[in-house]
Amino acid sequence: MRSENTLFVGGPLDGRVLPVLVGPTGLPPKTYEIPVPRDDGLPPEVHVYRRVPGPTGRLGLPRGWQYAYDPAGRAGGGPKWPWRKRR
């Protein structure tokens, strides 16, 4: 599998560049979840990052992707179908 070095902005990984696996289309996943274990035996805390366009280049076009921290932290999500009840 191919990976791409991707910048993380905000949250606990602010400023880090990590290799992220890309899919068959060359795009990284829309969300990136990072579980952080706790010392008190509770389930791990999950930090969620969302894919956003990267910094713009000379022509004003985005160069690659980066992940921005999502403090709401709702992982997954999937498509928002109109006939599905919101939780």
Side-chain angles (χ1 to χ4, degrees), residues 4-81:
E4 186 175 297
N5 290 336
T6 309
L7 175 68
F8 285 78
V9 179
L13 295 179
D14 189 25
R16 291 191 187 184
V17 177
L18 300 175
V20 175
L21 293 176
V22 295
T25 60
L27 295 175
K30 289 184 181 181
T31 59
Y32 197 82
E33 303 171 13
I34 300 166
V36 178
R38 297 184 184 180
D39 294 333
D40 52 2
L42 293 173
E45 181 180 1
V46 178
H47 296 284
V48 178
Y49 286 84
R50 304 261 179 228
R51 183 183 71 193
V52 295
T56 56
R58 287 181 43 190
L59 299 175
L61 299 173
R63 290 184 291 158
W65 302 96
Q66 65 185 18
Y67 282 102
Y69 182 64
D70 183 10
R74 292 205 0 184
K80 310 243 183 324
W81 302 106

